[in-house]
């Protein structure tokens, strides 16, 4: 670890910046950018999550399975339920006689368009960061998480 000093104004130099501050700032910036990008195409982040969860389920998802989807960033399960309701209203999700929600043809086209859009957004977010640098950053953050999951020594 770099052992740089703290300037007189009290701000930490890069080698001493608290990892939580950097991770939190990055999370907030990524979410703001992603949510704004999705809003430009009239999709919310929870709708994006819902579409991805439904399409990954081979036979769709029931209402109970949708409610059980892990929703990140401290949002409650009702967020995904509301997103699904909006996607049903939009015609992107439909339910069969068994009550399982699946993508409709407009939903498949919509998901493809959103995926293409979000691939461009990911490229914007990463900029000139190499795949190696990205992998290293993720590895370090995962190791920090794993270290803390072990509890205090």
């Amino acid at each position: 670890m770099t052992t740089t000093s703290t300037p007189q104004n009290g701000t930490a130099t890069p080698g001493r910046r608290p990892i939580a501050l950097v991770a939190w700032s990055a999370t907030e910036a990524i979410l703001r950018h992603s949510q704004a990008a999705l809003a430009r195409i009239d999709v919310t982040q929870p709708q994006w999550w819902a579409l991805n969860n439904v399409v990954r389920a081979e036979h769709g998802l029931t209402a109970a399975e949708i409610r059980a989807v892990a929703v990140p960033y401290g949002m409650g399960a009702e967020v995904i339920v509301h997103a699904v309701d909006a996607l049903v209203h939009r015609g992107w999700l439909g339910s069969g006689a068994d009550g399982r929600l699946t993508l409709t043809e407009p939903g498949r086209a919509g998901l493809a368009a959103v995926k293409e859009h979000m691939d461009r957004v990911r490229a914007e977010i990463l900029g000139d960061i190499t795949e190696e640098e990205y992998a290293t950053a993720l590895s370090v953050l995962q190791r920090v998480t794993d270290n803390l999951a072990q509890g205090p020594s």
Side-chain angles (χ1 to χ4, degrees), residues 17 19-30 32:
R17 289 187 65 203
I19 193 166
L21 176 63
V22 175
W24 187 263
S25 295
T27 299
E28 287 182 325
I30 291 165
R32 272 192 313 273

Side-chain angles (χ1 to χ4, degrees), residues 19 138-150:
I19 193 166
L138 290 183
S139 175
V140 168
L141 289 172
Q142 186 59 58
R143 286 171 47 206
V144 168
T145 302
D146 294 346
N147 289 344
L148 296 173
Q150 296 173 15

Side-chain angles (χ1 to χ4, degrees), residues 35-55:
Q35 290 166 351
L38 284 165
R40 285 193 294 276
I41 59 169
D42 196 29
V43 175
T44 66
Q45 196 165 37
Q47 288 170 346
W48 173 230
W49 298 330
L51 288 167
N52 281 298
N53 278 280
V54 169
V55 79

Side-chain angles (χ1 to χ4, degrees), residues 80-147:
I80 203 89
V81 173
H82 295 307
V84 166
D85 288 345
L87 291 166
V88 169
H89 180 73
R90 187 179 207 158
W92 286 19
L93 291 178
S95 62
D98 60 359
R100 299 188 80 74
L101 293 160
T102 57
L103 266 70
T104 61
E105 284 308 313
R108 288 189 190 291
L111 176 60
V114 176
K115 183 182 179 332
E116 184 177 308
H117 181 73
M118 291 308 288
D119 286 346
R120 287 190 303 272
V121 170
R122 182 180 192 272
E124 291 170 4
I125 290 169
L126 296 180
D128 65 349
I129 297 168
T130 67
E131 287 297 321
E132 182 179 303
E133 290 171 319
Y134 182 76
T136 298
L138 290 183
S139 175
V140 168
L141 289 172
Q142 186 59 58
R143 286 171 47 206
V144 168
T145 302
D146 294 346
N147 289 344

